[in-house]
Amino acid sequence: MKTVKKILCAALAAVQAVSMITISASAEDIDVTTDTIAAGDSHSLVIKSDLSLWAAGSNAHGQLGAGAQVDSTDGIKVMDNIVAVEANGETSFAIDSNGTLYGWGDNTTGQIAPSQQTQYIYTPTKIMDNVVAVSAGEGHAVAVTTDGVAYGWGSNDQGEL
């Protein structure tokens, strides 16, 4: 009986070790960076390995980029060919592989599109080209272009721009 218990324990330990190795190996294959995930107050953005952008959470201010005000706990496909994302509060930004910056969500202080008078933008809206990075602040945003120039827009209540 002792031998059977030892064999059973060894087998269970081996199964556990093999399953842990498999999980670790697959986790190493995924290159997750701060450019591939972003989280706002009540939503999240994820770029999958095929460069498709998915959003989940509240869509009360259009932050999912899915059009109508429909929340999603399962995730909604937003765009393709995306290489970087950023989110803050109820705003979302994405940069595609061509360097085009898109934004959507809460635009009450012009933090997405200052020229648009609309309070909320429900689908991805082109902001500018040749962008390599974007950062969303509380009511403002800053982008850096391929030529190294930084552009800011939105609220400047505290001199953040």
Side-chain angles (χ1 to χ4, degrees):
M1 195 66 161
K2 279 185 166 182
T3 304
V4 172
K5 286 182 181 179
K6 285 182 181 179
I7 293 172
L8 184 57
C9 286
L12 288 173
V15 168
Q16 185 178 16
V18 168
S19 68
M20 286 175 23
I21 291 168
T22 303
I23 290 170
S24 297
S26 64
E28 287 176 12
D29 293 339
I30 299 170
D31 186 22
V32 177
T33 68
T34 56
D35 291 340
T36 57
I37 58 172
D41 286 347
S42 58
H43 73 293
S44 298
L45 305 170
V46 175
I47 302 172
K48 290 188 171 185
S49 60
D50 66 356
L51 300 184
S52 62
L53 174 62
W54 291 73
S58 171
N59 196 36
H61 299 117
Q63 63 265 43
L64 296 187
Q69 294 182 3
V70 177
D71 297 346
S72 173
T73 56
D74 296 329
I76 297 171
K77 185 176 179 183
V78 180
M79 304 174 72
D80 287 310
N81 208 25
I82 301 301
V83 296
V85 290
E86 172 69 340
N88 189 16
E90 284 80 31
T91 60
S92 301
F93 295 94
I95 303 171
D96 71 14
S97 63
N98 297 317
T100 303
L101 174 64
Y102 296 88
W104 59 94
D106 185 354
N107 191 47
T108 55
T109 61
Q111 66 265 45
I112 297 170
S115 62
Q116 289 194 15
Q117 298 301 315
T118 182
Q119 193 172 25
Y120 306 120
I121 299 173
Y122 291 97
T123 57
T125 299
K126 181 179 174 180
I127 299 172
M128 62 192 309
D129 291 316
N130 301 315
V131 175
V132 294
V134 64
S135 184
E138 189 66 34
H140 69 286
V142 178
V144 177
T145 59
T146 54
D147 56 2
V149 177
Y151 294 89
W153 58 94
S155 173
N156 193 31
D157 291 344
Q158 307 296 318
E160 57 268 41
L161 298 178

